Amino acid sequence: MGLTGRIVVRADSAYFSHQVVAACREHSVVFSLAVAIKKKIREAISAIDEDAWIPIRYPKAVFDEAEQRWISDAEICGTPFAAFTSKAKKYQVTARLIIRRVKRLNPVSVPEGQGEPFAAHRHHAIFTDSPFPLVQAEPMHREHAVTEQVFADLEDSALGHLPSGKFTANAAWLTLAATAYHLTRAAGHLAGVFHARARTGTIRRHLIAVPARIAHRARDLVLHLPERWRWADDFTDLRTATGHRLRT
């Protein structure tokens, strides 16, 4: 299609396999694959020096102006890792293992038989041959989770009901589904903090499929809403922001 940018294959741990990596190498694309925390990964994490961990900008992180760094419960580190060593030599790959660790808030959640450093932190590992710097490669992989949430939201809506075996009909349906998704997300942001973070199904239930009655009065439209309705303020904020002339 004329694209010349670098292709990065991002996937969860279900796709961490020698076949996937071999296919990436064959087609000259970069891979960034999540890895389950098993024995060899735990051994690699345990060998990392404590001074090698770097704080990153993470939810609720605070930037320290004096030290010019992020103060966060999340830290990352990169280390070389040889994968698929039990496979044929042509499938064995040495690349970078990137680990993100986050402090455990609940000690009860520690898997049985695991001591330090796993008792104090939860670990998430990525196996990648990405040429990007550590502080860029890790959040780039993490972004795929946001994309998956959008897919899940769409599949819980219009994409769960593609109407036809015809390509053109499905293409039109996809366009309408994406348009409805963006309009609903915009409505959620206009309605307030709660709905700005809600999924589109929640926004539809709370603010679109409203149990109300429209009446005419003095050339105005009056919307009769339920009494003591929990989402009345959010609905009013949305109505005001979009310039509706309905009286409630």
Side-chain angles (χ1 to χ4, degrees):
M1 298 177 67
L3 299 178
T4 57
R6 186 184 301 276
I7 298 175
V8 180
V9 175
R10 299 182 301 189
D12 60 27
S13 58
Y15 292 88
F16 176 66
S17 71
H18 66 282
Q19 295 101 325
V20 172
V21 171
C24 290
R25 289 286 176 90
E26 179 182 353
H27 294 281
S28 300
V29 302
V30 173
F31 60 82
S32 182
L33 309 173
V35 186
I37 306 298
K38 296 184 178 180
K39 182 180 178 181
K40 287 189 65 177
I41 303 299
R42 289 197 296 268
E43 291 174 351
I45 294 172
S46 299
I48 296 173
D49 191 278
E50 189 62 27
D51 294 334
W53 294 95
I54 302 171
I56 60 171
R57 182 176 181 177
Y58 206 62
K60 299 183 180 179
V62 177
F63 190 74
D64 189 313
E65 291 289 351
E67 297 187 13
Q68 289 293 297
R69 69 185 184 95
W70 289 100
I71 306 298
S72 171
D73 284 342
E75 299 171 309
I76 58 174
C77 183
T79 185
F81 182 75
F84 318 122
T85 53
S86 62
K87 304 296 181 183
K89 189 171 183 179
K90 65 178 181 178
Y91 292 120
Q92 297 178 20
V93 176
T94 297
R96 183 169 46 162
L97 189 69
I98 297 177
I99 304 99
R100 180 178 82 255
R101 71 178 187 181
V102 182
K103 286 184 179 178
R104 290 186 183 275
L105 300 179
N106 183 7
V108 179
S109 66
V110 180
E112 186 176 352
Q114 293 190 19
E116 291 288 350
F118 303 96
H121 295 88
R122 292 182 291 110
H123 295 79
H124 309 269
I126 305 164
F127 185 60
T128 180
D129 62 349
S130 163
F132 305 109
L134 175 65
V135 292
Q136 185 179 359
E138 192 279 332
M140 282 179 64
H141 179 88
R142 197 162 9 113
E143 286 173 355
H144 93 284
V146 178
T147 305
E148 288 181 351
Q149 287 297 317
V150 174
F151 288 159
D153 205 339
L154 285 165
E155 289 170 358
D156 191 37
S157 180
L159 286 196
H161 306 280
L162 287 176
S164 174
K166 293 183 179 297
F167 178 85
T168 51
N170 286 333
W173 189 267
L174 177 60
T175 301
L176 294 172
T179 302
Y181 172 83
H182 287 294
L183 289 173
T184 306
R185 295 295 315 138
H189 279 272
L190 293 174
V193 175
F194 176 84
H195 289 101
R197 299 178 179 178
R199 295 182 63 165
T200 56
T202 301
I203 297 171
R204 290 195 301 272
R205 288 193 303 272
H206 290 177
L207 303 176
I208 297 175
V210 179
R213 179 171 58 86
I214 298 177
H216 294 269
R217 181 180 302 167
R219 297 184 180 180
D220 281 339
L221 291 177
V222 180
L223 190 63
H224 294 273
L225 298 170
E227 293 184 2
R228 296 182 294 277
W229 182 34
R230 180 179 180 182
W231 308 114
D233 290 342
D234 288 37
F235 182 83
T236 300
D237 290 343
L238 172 60
R239 180 179 59 84
T240 303
T242 52
H244 279 275
R245 294 183 57 192
L246 283 171
R247 289 196 301 164
T248 57

